[in-house]
Amino acid sequence: MPPSTTDPRPPRAVRPTGRLAAALLRLLRPGRTAPRPADPPNRLALDLDDCRRELARWQRHADSYERELTHVARDRAHLLAWLAALHPSSAVITPVADEGPGGTHLLRLVAGERPLSWRLPPVDLPLFAHVPHEDRAAAQLQRDGPRDPDQAAHILRHTRLLALEGALLAAFAEPRPPVRPTELRRRPADP
């Protein structure tokens, strides 16, 4: 019997055989959609576990950044204590006017004929034991506000000036002749 023109199926000789072929034909028939896999019964629990893993991962990142920030703040405090030791005649610590005696303090000093100031948290104050403290009444006469916006530019100019001065002094210093290996002193052997 010849194939019907209304039958959408291919002729029997062309049709695939077997279970796999039958399943493919069921999936590819027009008007049919693939069956949806069933949602796992504990899908919300799996999503919650994924969210908890993401939270733990981001918490590790935040903890790492917090440790790095603490390290940088401590390095800043050590550098400021060193800078205050280099300027002993002008360095002074004053309490911030709107905070109590245990609160934030200001490190003030003069460098390059210009007053500079930095806020110091209470945890860093032990590093500044070598810097004299000024009482609040004298501190009221000075500026307690935020840093001068030109402070960073002044520090940069002053640093360049000091580096240039060091380069000039090194250029005019008398060069030393190189030491020959035969001129090195030999230590006598211990008896």
Side-chain angles (χ1 to χ4, degrees):
M1 177 164 125
S4 163
T5 56
T6 60
D7 188 11
R9 294 182 297 176
R12 188 174 189 100
V14 183
R15 289 186 195 164
T17 58
R19 287 185 177 170
L20 179 62
L24 285 174
L25 285 175
R26 277 194 305 269
L27 289 175
L28 298 176
R29 276 193 195 140
R32 296 265 177 135
T33 59
R36 291 184 61 214
D39 286 340
N42 56 355
R43 180 176 163 228
L44 292 177
L46 294 174
D47 287 347
L48 182 61
D49 288 342
D50 287 343
C51 289
R52 285 182 177 152
R53 279 193 294 276
E54 278 294 305
L55 175 67
R57 185 174 71 88
W58 284 107
Q59 187 63 48
R60 284 191 305 272
H61 286 301
D63 292 344
S64 171
Y65 293 139
E66 181 67 25
R67 283 190 302 273
E68 187 65 26
L69 182 62
T70 302
H71 180 72
V72 167
R74 196 67 175 167
D75 282 348
R76 172 190 176 268
H78 282 284
L79 288 171
L80 287 176
W82 182 41
L83 188 63
L86 291 175
H87 296 87
S89 63
S90 65
V92 66
I93 291 182
T94 59
V96 174
D98 57 344
E99 297 189 26
T104 303
H105 286 67
L106 288 174
L107 169 65
R108 301 174 189 274
L109 57 89
V110 176
E113 299 178 357
R114 182 120 185 244
L116 304 172
S117 66
W118 293 270
R119 289 185 178 264
L120 301 174
V123 70
D124 293 335
L125 288 179
L127 294 173
F128 297 87
H130 62 283
V131 181
H133 287 257
E134 195 173 86
D135 63 345
R136 181 173 295 193
Q140 294 284 339
L141 301 176
Q142 298 178 1
R143 176 180 60 88
D144 254 354
R147 292 187 330 172
D148 185 7
D150 294 330
Q151 179 170 317
H154 172 70
I155 291 172
L156 181 62
R157 282 191 306 269
H158 191 62
T159 303
R160 287 180 180 165
L161 180 65
L162 290 174
L164 180 64
E165 180 183 5
L168 287 174
L169 289 176
F172 290 117
E174 292 182 26
R176 296 181 185 173
V179 177
R180 296 183 187 147
T182 56
E183 294 176 359
L184 293 174
R185 289 186 181 179
R186 295 182 186 214
R187 292 175 52 187
D190 292 331

